[in-house]
Structures are given as structure tokens and as C-alpha cells.
Amino acid sequence: MAVDLVGGGSFRVAFQMLFDAVIAVKKETTMFKSMLGDIKSTLDSLQPVIKEREKYDSKEGLENFAMQMEEGVKLVYKCSKVSVWSLCRKYRYTRKLDELDKCLQRLVEVLKVQGIRDVKETLVSLRNIETALHRIEGNLVMQNQPEKINGWSSVPEPPPVTVGLDVPLKELKIKLLKDDVSMLVLTAAGGCGKTTLAKKFCQDQEVKDKFKNNIFFVTLSKKPNLDLIVHELYQRKGSQVPAFENEVIAVYWLQLFLKETSQNPVLFVLDDVWSGSESLLEKFDEFKMTNYKVLVTSRFAFPRFGSPYHLESLNDEDAVALFHHSASLEDKSSYAREDLSRKIVELCKGFPLAITVVGRSLRGQPIEIWRKRVMEWSKGSSILASNNDLLACLKSSIYALDKEKPTLKECFLDLCSFPKDQRISAATLIDMWAELYGLDEPSLSIANLYELTTQSLANLIATRNEREADGYYTEHFVTQHDMLRELAIHQASQDPIGQRKRLIIDIRGDNLPNWLTEAKHQPMQARLLSISTDGAFSKKWPNMQLPKAEVLVLNFETNSYDLPKFVKKMDKLKVLIVTNFSFLPAELNNFQLLGSSSNLKRIRLERISIPSINKNIKQLESVQKISLFMCSIGQAFGKGSINIFDTLPNLGEMDIDCCHELVELPVEVCDLIHLKKLSITNCHNLSALPEKIGKLLSLEVLRLRSCTDLLELPSSIRNLKKLNFLDISYCFSIKQLPEHIGEICSLKKLNMRQCSRLQDLPASVLDLEQLKNVTCDEETEILWEPFLPLLKNIHIKVLKEDINLNWLHKHPS
């Protein structure tokens, strides 16, 4: 049905025809009844707005609407002819009706904004959700104000003295001023100088020459009000806009502003943007033009908007210069305090806000006060405790986590369980969080670490550049700035000692805290207990009662360490993490105390001498996973010794990483009949696996990554009928696969990247019917080419050679 509505010259007629068409077709069709009902409701709300306009005889510009109404009428009548069997047409017209309804809703809002004012250009496309709205002139826009009042005067000045920002400024300009970049997120923890750098960026001569007076600097809040932002932008141009009834109207005026200002090069600085403001950033990011730039400063990385720029801490030279300025040490006669200055700067770890606040607090103070502060902080007293401004700045970073992501906040607080200046193994955190928060899948814990990284609360790094995770994260580590660690300790210490969720005990020398000796007979409610001692610790532990403790973290630096005797009474203990941070593996005594821990599920040992454990070891029937990292194997599995594997009858998962003394895998491992996952990685001297490995009938995952001296896989591997993932990547010495490897009937994934000596594949690979994914390099891919015509469902993923040799490096002690 073709209707010439434009010829009638009446917007009212066009509206009425669409209204009648919707009612008529709604009665006839059942397929689109719901959609047409929604459109009718929208038309009902549009009708009074039209009547209001007609009172003032405001008709100019309505012909454009009439033409679009005609398209709507045609669409509605076409829907009446769609057969119930035509699913494709049903889908297409459902989508078009939805677009029609959304555009009519947008029309209602636009007409409300226009009110009785004249319309010069307005085009509403009912065919596309992206409605093109042109400038509306009249009393709403300019009210006797000059048209070109710029935003430059609103750009705040940076501090008179800044240090360490010359290189970041240069890098920031390179990244943001690229033609293909419209938005860049400048991110770092609170107090690192993001806003100062953004102000310097605006004051840079190259930036001013490019954007001239078209620079707008807007500081947002945790919950930004779009109405206020839009009004502020227009006011800085010397324009006024009406009050907005809702966000739709505000968005319209924001789009109008962006279109107008982007005719010339324009820079928007959105300062202090918080998590939850993604929708606002999307509105600014819609415009992809060369002359349009948005710089966002935030503690959150917002990765969806591209690769962010991370602002690093100050180096030693710049940190000292900032401290001298903050403490007013410009006078050369004051340089007698230079030694103390450097010690203070070292304690602040290049954190600009900490350096500034501490410097100001010491300004004009006698040198005795300086020495007192240095002594207190050197002995473990927190800098945060004596600086409320610094504490408030850092605490605001985790306020948002309280209600929105409480588990993520708990994960952040758990990071203080480890000594400062040490990398934390992601695998350790995975074990802890699996039991504390039910994060059974390792990827869930890694996802939390990524979130903490994007919020500048931690830094997740990987020592190998793998493009696809397989659920094994021994080469992932977490670092954290000392100020953030102090923040976590401060937050974890707010409750009375006996009621804290996590109890963090950091001891230097033999100086036990007073409360520890006083409260030795009082039960503690902590679920997590962390004890860190240094190389000078020699005392015995007082008795502690920890009836609710589920995780025990022990960090030490001595050649020999005794498990505290109170471990025997930790009935709910589920996870034991023992980390030796000295250079050589340490002896671990009293391991037999764990024999009474009926709930213990996970044990992780780092730099421990395994032979020392075998003394008087008892059955640990509840343990499901054990991890050995950089441990000394020695003669731990020799004849006549008690074997640790004999005491773990129900073990389901074993990780052995960077144990360089491991030459042959003990045959006793093959008696662990419940073992499902066996990972032996970066054990470069491992040359052989026991032939009896085929006895591990429950084994589902076998990782042998980077065992560079491993010569072959035992032929009995054919008996592993449940094995679904095999990783032999970087096993440079393997020359051939077992002849009957095809009998591993459940194998789905195979990683054979960088098996450079592998010459060919056995014919039995054709029997691997479940094999779906094979990861290769360019050389090993060639080995599969003769078989691909017969392996229809297999996907070969070729990764280029990883020239990053970080995986060869030993982890720092």
C-alpha cells in the first residue's frame, strides 16, 4: 500500500495514517502483535506532544518527519503479509519494527526538548537506530553570548614544580596524537601523578599549537552526573542549555556538542574516572576522527578502550628531587640530611604522593624528628598510619570493591600475606582462593588478578608469552607496590586481633609482637594466618589457638625451619603454603605434625629440601594436590627412605616446577592411582619417565613443558585411556612419539610446540579420533600435513617462535 503523505503536507495526517495502520494490522496478525502493541503505546505518548506543538502553529521542519512516517506505514503493512512459515522474514521484520519503535521513542524525547521553539534541521531515520540529529537553533543555544568562548581557561595549571614526567609526557604525546587513536587511558594507582601529567600535557606547547583554545578539562566523580558534565561543557563555550528531563536528552546535547567542537582539533581530558563509568566513556568514544582526542586519567585501565598507558613510579633521582622540594631542602646548608633523605625516599618506593606528604610533614622539623621517623618506619611501622591524606587517597581505591565486588576486595587484602619486594606466584593464590572463596577453576583466580591489575591494585606478569592459557599458571606472578601492600595490611588490621579474618604476622629478628605472647591461650577467629620471619629469627613459637584457620602461609629466610607446633591443632586447615626466600633449599622439620590435619587438601612447597620432609612423615589421606617449586629432590626417593608419595594415597594433582635435580621421575609416582593431573615443567635435567607411567589410569592431563633433556615418552603411555591433554612443548630432545600413541583414545589437545628434533609422526595418530586441537610451530606443523586429509576435525594452531627467553631464567630468590 503506497500512501503519498508528503503531498498532503500535514504531519498530523502522516501520524494518523501510521497510527491507523498499526491498529489495523495488529488486529489481523498474531505474529507481530506484541511488537505492534509496543509501537502503539509509543504513538499514544507521542500524540499529546504533537498537539502541544500544534497550539503554537509550529510546523516548519515537520515535512521530514512526515516522510519517515510514510516509511513506517509501508513497513507495518508489509508485516501483515509475512507468512508464519517464513522464519527469515519474521526475524528481519521483527528487527525493523524494533528499530521503528526505538526511533519513535527518540522522537518523543527530541520533541519534548524542542518544545515551542523553531526547528531548522531535524532528521529522524526510522530505518536505523543511529538517528542523525542536527543542530537545533534558537533561544536554547545562544543567549546573547559570544559564540567562540573557549575551554582553555578551565584547564587547571600543574604544580609549579614537577619531576620525573618528561619521559612519560613524551610517550603520552606519541601514543595519543597518532591518527588512529581517539581515546587513551592514562592509568596508575592513586597518588602516582596521573592528573599532574594530564595538566602538563595540556600545557605542552606542541599540544597547545595543535588544539589551540579547543581544550576541555573535566574532573569527574565516582558517580558522574551526565547532566552536570554537559552543562559544564556548554558553559565553558559560553552557551546555555535547558534542564534535561532524562539521560536521553543529555546524550543528545552531548552528541551535538561533540559534533560542533570537532570541526577543529579538540582535546577532552576526563580526569579521575572511576569504574562503572564505561557507558560515559563510550559516548565520548563514538567519534573516530583524526582531530578528536580524549585523554582519560583513572586508577582503572578500561581495557575495552584500547591499550592504556601505565604511569610508573619515580626513579631514585627524581624521587630525591621531589622530596627535597616537598621538605624545602633547596638550601644547600640543609644537605647534611641527605643520608636521611635517601632512606626516606627508599621507604616511599618512588610513590609521588607518599614522598610529597612525608616531605611536607618533616618540613622545618629538627633532625632528631627525622631520625625518629626513619627508625620507626625501618622497623616496620607503617607510613600510612602517620599520614591521613595518603591513607585516604589509597583507601578510596578499594571503597568501590566493598559492595560491588567483595570477593575481589578479599583477594586484594590476601596479597599482604607475602613479604614485600617479592613476586607472588599466581599458582599459590589459586590454591588459597580455591578453598577460601570457592574459585575452583584456576582461570577465575587469574581473572581476579587481571581485574586487580586493571584497577592499579596489583600487577600480573607472565614470564612466558603464551597466547592461549591452558589452565596452568606456574609462569604467572604478581607484584605489588609496597604502599598498596601497606594499605592491605592496614585494612586487614582494623578489627581487634582476635576477630580478624586474616592475621598477618611480620617478625624481624626475634622481636615477637607483645599481643602474640599475651594472647597465646586465646582463640583467634582468622581464616588465614600468614607468618613472615627473616634470617635472624631463632625463637620457638608460642602456642596459638586457631580453630577456624583454613590457610597457613609461612615465609622465612633460614636454612632450617620448624613447623610451629600449634599446626597440630589447626583442625580446619585446608591449604599449607611454605616459601623459603633464601637462596638455597631449606630443611623443613616437624612435617609429621600435619598428620592430624584431616581437612588438609593442598600443599605448596618452595625451595624446600624434600629429603628433610621424609623423616617421620605420616599419612596425609586428605591431601589432593601437592606443588613443588625449586625444591631439592636429592636422594628423597632412594631405596630405604620413607617416600612422600607413599603418604599421599588420594593425591589427584601434582605440580613439579623448576626442580633441577630431578633426573628421573620416581617410579612410586605410578602408584598414585587417583592422580588426574601431572605437571612436570622447567625440569631441564629430567631425562626419563618410568615405564610404569601407564598405570596412572585416572590421568587426564600430562604436562611435560620445557623438560629439555627428556628423550622420549614411555610406550606404556598408550594405556592412559582417560588422558585428554598432553603438553610436550619445548621438549627439545624428543625425537619420536610412541608408536602406539593412537591408542590414547580420549586425547583432545596436544601441544608440541618447539619439539625441534621430532622427525616424523607415527601412523597411529590417525586413530586419535577425539583429537581436536594441536598447537605447533612452523616446523612441527609440516609433520601433520600428510595426515590432514584423513583428519577432518582437527585444528592445527601454528604459533611463531617465542623469542622471549624469560622462561629460561631462574626465579629470583
Side-chain angles (χ1 to χ4, degrees), residues 405-414 433 437 501-502:
K405 299 177 180 179
T407 299
L408 190 62
K409 179 183 177 181
E410 296 299 323
C411 291
F412 166 73
L413 297 178
D414 287 343
W433 295 343
Y437 313 121
K501 291 182 181 179
R502 52 186 64 74

Side-chain angles (χ1 to χ4, degrees), residues 366-494:
I367 196 168
E368 289 79 8
I369 296 295
W370 286 46
R371 288 172 179 155
K372 179 183 178 182
R373 293 284 187 269
V374 171
M375 289 178 61
E376 291 173 345
W377 294 332
S378 298
K379 290 181 178 180
S381 178
S382 174
I383 292 179
L384 295 181
S386 56
N387 292 279
N388 291 332
D389 291 343
L390 177 59
L391 177 60
C393 175
L394 294 179
K395 281 177 66 175
S396 62
S397 298
I398 59 175
Y399 281 151
L401 301 181
D402 283 330
K403 294 182 179 180
E404 298 176 9
K405 299 177 180 179
T407 299
L408 190 62
K409 179 183 177 181
E410 296 299 323
C411 291
F412 166 73
L413 297 178
D414 287 343
L415 296 182
C416 70
S417 304
F418 303 90
K420 66 178 183 179
D421 300 325
Q422 296 288 351
R423 295 193 305 181
I424 307 169
S425 169
T428 299
L429 299 171
I430 288 172
D431 284 340
M432 291 171 50
W433 295 343
E435 301 301 332
L436 287 175
Y437 313 121
L439 303 180
D440 295 328
E441 286 294 326
S443 59
L444 297 177
S445 294
I446 296 299
N448 278 355
L449 290 173
Y450 275 120
E451 282 203 65
L452 291 175
T453 299
T454 60
Q455 299 189 25
S456 300
L457 293 173
N459 185 28
L460 179 64
I461 56 177
T463 57
R464 187 195 295 274
N465 294 328
E466 292 290 353
R467 301 184 187 180
E468 182 178 356
D470 61 8
Y472 191 61
Y473 298 99
T474 58
E475 290 158 340
H476 286 67
F477 294 87
V478 180
T479 60
Q480 188 179 46
H481 195 283
D482 283 355
M483 285 296 158
L484 294 172
R485 181 179 180 273
E486 285 198 28
L487 172 64
I489 293 175
H490 180 274
Q491 292 300 105
S493 305
Q494 294 305 295

Side-chain angles (χ1 to χ4, degrees), residues 306-318:
S307 177
Y309 179 82
H310 293 275
L311 181 59
E312 302 294 338
S313 301
L314 297 176
N315 60 35
D316 291 344
E317 182 181 351
D318 291 329

Side-chain angles (χ1 to χ4, degrees), residues 729-741:
S729 58
Y730 299 93
C731 290
F732 301 131
S733 300
I734 292 181
K735 295 181 180 180
Q736 60 183 12
L737 298 180
E739 180 180 356
H740 299 288
I741 194 173

Side-chain angles (χ1 to χ4, degrees), residues 38 52 114 127 221 299 317 470 628 640 646 649 750 788:
D38 292 340
E52 187 67 22
Q114 291 177 342
R127 301 173 186 171
S221 61
R299 306 179 189 197
E317 182 181 351
D470 61 8
L628 308 178
D646 293 337
L750 172 62
L788 292 182

Side-chain angles (χ1 to χ4, degrees), residues 652-654 669 672-679 693-703 717 719-726 744 746:
E653 184 173 355
M654 180 188 300
V669 172
L672 299 173
I673 59 175
H674 300 292
L675 198 64
K676 292 184 177 181
K677 297 181 180 179
L678 175 59
S679 300
I693 199 169
K695 292 173 59 179
L696 297 175
L697 300 180
S698 298
L699 199 64
E700 298 174 2
V701 174
L702 177 59
R703 291 188 184 89
I717 197 174
N719 298 325
L720 304 180
K721 305 301 182 183
K722 292 185 178 181
L723 190 69
N724 59 64
F725 178 49
L726 175 62
I744 308 178
S746 298

